[in-house]
Amino acid sequence: MAVSLTMVGGWFAQAFIQTLIDKASDKAIQLFAERRGFAADMETLCTSLLETQIILDKVQSSQSNDTKWKTLMQKLKDAAYDAEDLIDEFQYHVLMQKIKGEEEDKAASCSGGLPNIFSAAKEKLFGSSHSLEEDAMRASVVEIQGRLERIANSMKSIMNVLPPNDRGKQPDQMKFQSRESCSSPVTDILFGRDKELNQVVEWLLGSANQVEPTSGFLNDALSVLPIVGIGGAGKTTLAQYAHKDIRVQDHFHLKIWVCVSNNFTVQGLVKSIIESITLQKQYDNMGLESLQKILHQHIAQKKFLLVLDDVWSDNKRIWEKFCALLKVGAYGSKIIVTTRDMKISKMVSLVEPILLHGLDEDTFWQLFKKSSFGTLNPEEYPELEDIGRKIVRKLKGSPLAAKTLGSVLQSNLCQQHWATVMESDIWKVKQDEDDIMPALHLSYRYLNENLKQCFAFCSVFPKDNVFKEAELVRMWIAEGFIQNKNTKRMEDVGSDYFLEFVNRSFFQEVKYSRFVMHDLIHDLAEMISTEETCRIENSSQRKMFSTIRHLRVEGKLPLEVSGYDKLRTLMLRKNSPPDSLFEKLRSIHVLDLSDCGLQELSEHVGKLIHLRYLDISWNSEIKILPDSLCHLHNLQTLEILGCHKLESIPQELGKKMVNLRHINAVNKFWVMIKDVRRLTNLQELPTFSVQVDDGLKLVQLKDLTQLHGTLHIQNLENVVDSKEAQHAELKNKVHLKELVLEWNYWQRDRRNDVKLEEEVIEGLQPHESLKKLKIKWYNGGRSPSWLMPKVLSNLEKLELSNCKGWDDVLPFIGQRLHLIELCMNRMPALKQLSHEFEGKCFPKLKVLNLWNLPALEESGRGLRAKIYFPACVNFASAVAPN
């Protein structure tokens, strides 16, 4: 079997090298190298990287079995990782200089500019001299470039001695071995799919108008039913049984079966249909026009059933062109599409797909016994039942997995053999091309390289791990799997990746936006990344490859294991790490120390200059975050939930951790953080508590234009004038979806100026894209002008709570076209909702909750009688006792 150089042990050569080229070509890095005197060496390094990429492309298009490739790829991986660390170190120095320069500029502006003059003079005098540090940097560049050059030369030497038939083959010619299927089922019994089979057959026998038309480009005469499920779930088998049903056979004039696989072209599909009907293969050289005429001769005015088995492509343009050719069929023609991808299901039909999940436990046990014992009687082997049931639990209801392991077990019906299989990883059991792991691996092979590396990374988590999308996406970003291209936010790209995995059944939603990975899919991830990822799940386990880059440890950390300096990921559970560990993690990108009994965060954490993701959540004894944390200029995500005893954070955190994108922290953290205005990459700011202190005034929000999600501004009673409110520039927060404006009733000065509060809320106008708005404890008497529908035209939810003095009506509130939910409670001065309530209002309203509004002139019942609401509105009483 040919070695794939696209991926070796979970590492993806071409994607990684391309990322390195982009980083090394960055203008800031080039300028840094020029000022430090090794620009020529960096240029040579870039050339070596480009040459390596070209050679990789050539090697990838060959099918050599030479075992030297794996050794060379391992050397290339080490060199590439070292190169990335070095360039990353340069980026760190560039960032450090920028932060230092900004601080010096600020100091200079406060002291008349003299220090800045001296700094410039020093630069002119000493800028060209080389320090020991600069010599070391240059030596590292030269050393890595030399390694890359030697590896490239070795690759070229192997390419030169390859047999002629191994050279120059195109990747797409060898990408996939076409899968074959036919209309006849292999098994004589369909286990556990009776309900689904009845659904499919009833759909096939029903008239076309019983189902939704697939889409506008198809007429009602043709309908499509998708069957969707993970590899090995039994999609093809279900379609085969439906196809051979005697009622279905009598119902259709033509029954056509096409195994699509990677042959998703209009011409290829039409040719396959004709061959299925005529049983002849003589159409290879025909153009589409000729094929169309032949197709129409065979299907025109005939009611046909077409099964498109194993569809992988979501190219809608091809699908629409293909379907247009089938319109000549008779009314009631049907198409069944089997696929692993929900996105394809939605593309081909609006009909609810038949979703195939794992078989129930009892049915699966019966299938497993038939697969494992064949014609023999299982009752004659009672000693194997307990082992068999343990194996069954590992297979999670997958029919193909039962058949795969069943055939392995059937070869030797003894306890020792069965116990060995039970204790083995499924992917390590020898399998044929049609067995479960090759079937699942096919799903993996259809992923692009970015998705492949994201998927392989997931093997660092244990089986049955509950995944949260945002958390996993932030780790992918920290690992460098998602690059910032300035065309789309990295988090949005990561969400697209995650949705792709969900659509392809790699992840399955359990509840509340929590996802799990099927055990067999997890086995696939382990198989792919076996040399890159390691989990140590008990203290006795010590084995770890020197190639490991991602490590998770449950229990005591094995300090005697070498290779910590190469780790990109470390996740610790149950045991606190020693101080000495932080000095070893020289390449770490993701460090997860959540819930590991950490008493305090080591000062040495500041040395982890490559760190992008740090999680110290649920370590309840942590009281202080060390000042050295501010040295983590590259840090993107800081998770610090559940640290309820936290008393102090670094004062310069806002000034120096300028790459922070996500902070997930306890509320008291947000109160302590100052100079949040410098964190211009921040994507969320859940809570901002306004204080009299300059570092906590509303102006701090001015430059945070990247804020997404929810912003909750508390303690608005501390705003001194309307200008301060305007300085927050909420109107420029384009991505903000939810805003909460809250005054603290108990801290407010009883003599607080009502007019000031009205001016403050007027200055807090949000962007028109805002979806949800909540105002609490506002003491003003009138609505802000921006609450008009024409200003906040996209508002979907409005909640007003405890606004004691608000007696003004809400202008044109009923004309809000998108408002779904309106909640108003504890507003004793409010007499009317609006003047314009007549006729149809609130066209999309689903929830109207009016509570404790004693001065409201219309009762709840009278209000409902006067105004038209959609029937689905949940109407709560407006007048309620205090």
Side-chain angles (χ1 to χ4, degrees), residues 239-449:
Q240 287 169 335
Y241 270 86
H243 184 275
K244 81 166 191 174
D245 187 283
I246 188 65
R247 295 167 294 171
V248 173
Q249 291 286 316
D250 293 340
H251 187 73
F252 293 95
H253 302 133
L254 280 174
K255 280 75 64 181
I256 309 162
W257 184 281
V258 173
C259 183
V260 180
S261 287
N262 55 321
N263 186 28
F264 196 77
T265 63
V266 178
Q267 200 161 331
L269 290 170
V270 172
K271 185 171 77 72
S272 296
I273 291 173
I274 297 171
E275 289 176 353
S276 177
I277 295 171
T278 63
L279 305 180
Q280 295 178 357
K281 288 182 72 71
Q282 57 185 27
Y283 308 98
D284 286 345
N285 298 320
M286 284 190 181
L288 184 58
E289 181 65 25
S290 301
L291 289 170
Q292 175 187 317
K293 290 177 181 177
I294 298 171
L295 174 70
H296 286 180
Q297 287 173 8
H298 289 290
I299 70 170
Q301 302 306 311
K302 291 182 180 178
K303 185 162 60 173
F304 62 82
L305 165 61
L306 170 62
V307 177
L308 296 175
D309 185 38
D310 199 34
V311 177
W312 292 87
S313 174
D314 61 355
N315 190 318
K316 190 172 182 179
R317 184 178 56 82
I318 292 177
W319 174 251
E320 290 177 354
K321 285 184 177 181
F322 168 66
C323 287
L325 300 178
L326 303 178
K327 290 182 179 181
V328 298
Y331 181 87
S333 295
K334 303 283 180 80
I335 301 175
I336 291 176
V337 171
T338 73
T339 180
R340 306 184 187 194
D341 194 338
M342 276 299 296
K343 189 161 62 172
I344 293 172
S345 168
K346 292 171 184 174
M347 176 187 76
V348 301
S349 180
L350 300 177
V351 177
E352 277 297 311
I354 303 292
L355 295 175
L356 295 189
H357 301 294
L359 297 176
D360 68 79
E361 191 174 338
D362 291 337
T363 305
F364 191 61
W365 175 241
Q366 297 305 317
L367 172 61
F368 178 80
K369 285 196 296 185
K370 179 171 178 56
S371 303
S372 303
F373 293 95
T375 56
L376 300 176
N377 184 4
E379 294 180 4
E380 295 179 7
Y381 302 88
E383 72 280 6
L384 298 180
E385 179 170 347
D386 184 53
I387 302 173
R389 288 194 178 274
K390 289 178 180 176
I391 294 173
V392 160
R393 283 195 286 273
K394 292 174 65 174
L395 304 184
K396 297 292 176 77
S398 168
L400 184 55
K403 294 170 188 174
T404 298
L405 262 69
S407 63
V408 174
L409 296 167
Q410 193 178 146
S411 65
N412 190 350
L413 299 178
C414 75
Q415 278 182 297
Q416 184 179 356
H417 176 63
W418 279 44
T420 301
V421 173
M422 179 191 71
E423 292 165 4
S424 300
D425 293 318
I426 294 170
W427 55 272
K428 292 179 180 175
V429 177
K430 186 178 180 181
Q431 299 182 27
D432 294 327
E433 284 298 316
D434 293 330
D435 287 341
I436 184 61
M437 292 317 293
L440 294 176
H441 194 265
L442 193 59
S443 292
Y444 167 79
R445 288 166 67 188
Y446 270 93
L447 300 174
N448 65 39
E449 282 205 351

Side-chain angles (χ1 to χ4, degrees), residues 137 155 209 229 238 268 308 422 426 489 492 514 548-549 558 726 745 765 787 863:
M137 287 179 182
M155 286 183 171
N209 58 13
L238 177 61
L308 296 175
M422 179 191 71
I426 294 170
R489 195 171 71 119
D492 294 333
R514 300 292 189 267
I548 294 300
R549 291 313 197 279
Q726 293 170 9
Y745 177 77
Q765 178 179 340
L787 203 50
L863 184 68

Side-chain angles (χ1 to χ4, degrees), residues 745-753 779:
Y745 177 77
W746 309 107
Q747 297 297 323
R748 175 194 278 138
D749 189 332
R750 299 287 179 174
R751 297 165 299 172
N752 204 51
D753 189 348
N779 210 32

Side-chain angles (χ1 to χ4, degrees), residues 53 56 67 183 196 206 222 260 317 402 408 446 565 604 636 671 717 755 821 870:
Q53 189 180 48
L56 279 173
T67 55
S183 60
E196 290 86 353
L222 188 62
V260 180
R317 184 178 56 82
V408 174
Y446 270 93
D565 59 329
H604 296 306
Q636 298 166 339
V671 178
E717 71 281 356
K755 186 181 178 184
E821 187 172 346

Side-chain angles (χ1 to χ4, degrees), residues 740-794:
V740 181
L741 302 176
E742 181 177 6
W743 284 256
N744 190 325
Y745 177 77
W746 309 107
Q747 297 297 323
R748 175 194 278 138
D749 189 332
R750 299 287 179 174
R751 297 165 299 172
N752 204 51
D753 189 348
V754 170
K755 186 181 178 184
L756 173 61
E757 291 201 15
E758 291 176 353
E759 291 175 354
V760 167
I761 202 170
E762 189 67 37
L764 293 173
Q765 178 179 340
H767 190 269
E768 62 182 16
S769 62
L770 195 74
K771 300 285 187 185
K772 298 178 182 180
L773 174 65
K774 185 173 185 178
I775 301 174
K776 298 174 68 177
W777 296 106
Y778 166 59
N779 210 32
R782 60 185 176 85
S783 308
S785 63
W786 48 260
L787 203 50
M788 296 281 284
K790 64 181 181 181
V791 181
L792 291 186
S793 56
N794 295 291

